[in-house]
Amino acid sequence: LSMMSISANYEGTYANLMHFVHEIDRSPRLLIIEALNAAPQQAGGTLNISMKIDTFVRDGGSGQ
């Protein structure tokens, strides 16, 4: 197995982002939220979050 890190930014309402984080937590895949930073946006009642997610993937080699 190899570890893969994913860094991404998301924007949405508090409720939508909490639903997204909950779905990551309940995923059948091994996803680990290593870091999460949230900042409110001035207009529209939205949040901007940046996340770093770690996951583990099978090494290619055998084609399976």
Side-chain angles (χ1 to χ4, degrees), residues 19-30:
H19 179 73
F20 179 62
V21 169
H22 178 72
E23 290 299 315
I24 290 172
D25 186 46
R26 309 262 309 154
S27 172
R29 303 201 183 270
L30 179 58

Side-chain angles (χ1 to χ4, degrees), residues 33-51:
I33 298 174
E34 183 178 319
L36 186 147
N37 294 305
Q41 298 299 303
Q42 289 184 350
T46 61
L47 292 173
N48 187 5
I49 65 170
S50 60
M51 297 177 84

Side-chain angles (χ1 to χ4, degrees), residues 2-19:
S2 297
M3 187 174 84
M4 179 190 310
S5 294
I6 304 162
S7 296
N9 296 316
Y10 303 96
E11 185 175 318
T13 64
Y14 177 81
N16 288 342
L17 293 171
M18 288 304 297
H19 179 73

